């Protein structure tokens, strides 16, 4: 029986991929590193430190852990500056409608994001009231594809994994949901989230009616 929903943030509720890209690009340009959209795609749902390691490895650069941490911090400052422009108009189409519908029907709702900026993003969107709990990049040590963030969210909702559906746009996020024993909805192309239990191309198609129809025996 489904009692709760756990939503990834970036790529599900809103899309700040462009702001992340611009911030990483600015840092990479300063360092003389190569960074393009193809590398950026590998960062979807990946934590900040794991992201900078991917970019560093792509450039075959030799950087110690301490410097790497400071570079990631620099990128984060660029990203945070861009977040100031985010507003309640920046929900992905369909996301706000689904959150309102879930509240109205009495489902419990948590956030399950790798981002350490998740609370700021929710606040900029004015989305904080739709969530009963927030699990983010500050909540657990291990990030996706480990299930820890979603398990933290489910625990905060006082629900078991099998009572929750996780919404994810990243391959590693769907892996994390499955590993934790959650039901999963993938948002995006088959090549990325085709391994989820159910997949929708965008959040627009993921209405509560469509979700209930896809998980018939669980409602
Ligand atoms: P931060 P999600 C993820 O958010 C982003 O998809 C990913 O690109 C980013 O590197 C990660 O958050 C960490 O973000 O630097 O703000 O801590 O999709 O898990 O909501
Ligand atoms: Mg995401």
């Amino acid at each position: 029986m489904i009692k709760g929903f756990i939503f990834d943030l970036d790529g599900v509720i809103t899309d700040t991929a462009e702001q992340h890209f611009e911030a990483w690009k600015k840092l990479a340009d300063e360092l003389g590193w190569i960074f393009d959209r193809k590398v950026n795609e590998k960062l979807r749902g990946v934590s900040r430190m794991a992201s900078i390691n991917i970019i560093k490895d792509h450039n075959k650069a030799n950087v110690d852990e301490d410097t790497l941490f400071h570079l990631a911090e620099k990128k984060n400052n660029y990203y945070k500056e861009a977040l100031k422009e985010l507003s309640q108009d920046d929900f992905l189409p369909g996301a706000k409608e689904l959150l309102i519908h879930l509240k109205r029907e009495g489902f419990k709702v948590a956030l399950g994001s790798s981002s350490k900026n998740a609370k700021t993003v929710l606040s900029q969107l004015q989305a904080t009231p739709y969530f009963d709990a927030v699990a983010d990049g500050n909540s657990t040590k291990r990030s996706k594809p480990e299930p820890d963030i979603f398990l933290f969210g489910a625990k905060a909702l006082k629900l078991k994994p099998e009572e929750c559906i996780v919404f994810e746009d990243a391959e590693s996020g769907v892996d994390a949901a499955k590993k934790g024993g959650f039901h999963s909805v993938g948002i995006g192309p088959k090549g990325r989230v085709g391994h989820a239990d159910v997949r929708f191309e965008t959040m627009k198609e993921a209405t509560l009616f469509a979700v209930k129809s896809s998980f018939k025996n669980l409602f």
Side-chain angles (χ1 to χ4, degrees):
M1 183 79 164
I2 297 299
K3 295 179 180 165
F5 286 75
I6 305 180
F7 290 95
D8 172 52
L9 180 60
D10 211 15
V12 172
I13 301 297
T14 186
D15 190 7
T16 65
E18 197 55 31
Q19 287 91 325
H20 277 297
F21 174 78
E22 292 297 337
W24 283 125
K25 179 81 181 125
K26 193 170 175 187
L27 180 80
D29 286 350
E30 284 167 10
L31 296 167
W33 285 3
I34 295 164
F35 182 68
D36 55 23
R37 303 245 169 218
K38 210 172 155 203
V39 185
N40 191 54
E41 190 51 35
K42 290 186 189 162
L43 312 183
R44 187 179 285 271
V46 172
S47 76
R48 195 181 310 159
M49 286 314 291
S51 296
I52 197 161
N53 271 296
I54 290 171
I55 301 169
K56 179 203 77 171
D57 291 347
H58 182 75
N59 282 273
K60 298 188 175 64
N62 210 345
V63 186
D64 64 68
E65 273 305 306
D66 221 37
T67 310
L68 218 51
F69 180 81
H70 287 294
L71 290 175
E73 220 171 33
K74 203 169 182 192
K75 175 266 172 181
N76 191 46
N77 288 332
Y78 297 148
Y79 175 67
K80 282 202 298 197
E81 203 45 46
L83 285 185
K84 288 181 185 163
E85 301 297 317
L86 209 67
S87 78
Q88 53 181 335
D89 299 329
D90 292 311
F91 278 94
L92 277 171
K96 190 174 179 180
E97 291 77 2
L98 179 59
L99 290 170
I100 290 171
H101 210 161
L102 291 174
K103 265 261 162 296
R104 210 189 297 148
E105 292 215 358
F107 287 101
K108 296 238 185 96
V109 176
L111 192 80
S113 165
S114 301
S115 176
K116 293 190 171 180
N117 294 296
K119 283 185 179 163
T120 308
V121 174
L122 287 187
S123 152
Q124 289 292 119
L125 291 171
Q126 298 185 24
T128 310
Y130 298 117
F131 293 88
D132 302 300
V134 172
D136 63 14
N138 304 297
S139 308
T140 64
K141 256 205 193 114
R142 297 190 309 172
S143 195
K144 302 165 191 174
E146 295 310 322
D148 305 25
I149 288 172
F150 297 136
L151 291 171
F152 185 99
K155 202 172 172 192
L157 295 179
K158 298 191 172 66
L159 295 178
K160 297 188 193 107
E162 62 267 29
E163 293 174 321
C164 303
I165 297 178
V166 167
F167 274 59
E168 255 295 346
D169 72 305
E171 188 179 350
S172 62
V174 172
D175 291 341
K178 296 185 92 164
K179 220 170 170 179
F182 294 89
H183 304 283
S184 56
V185 168
I187 303 295
K190 207 171 175 181
R192 199 171 75 209
V193 290
H195 53 319
D197 298 333
V198 172
R199 184 186 71 85
F200 297 104
E201 204 58 37
T202 71
M203 281 297 281
K204 224 172 167 178
E205 286 87 55
T207 60
L208 185 51
F209 180 77
V211 173
K212 280 184 174 176
S213 310
S214 306
F215 292 93
K216 269 198 187 80
N217 311 326
L218 297 174
F219 285 91

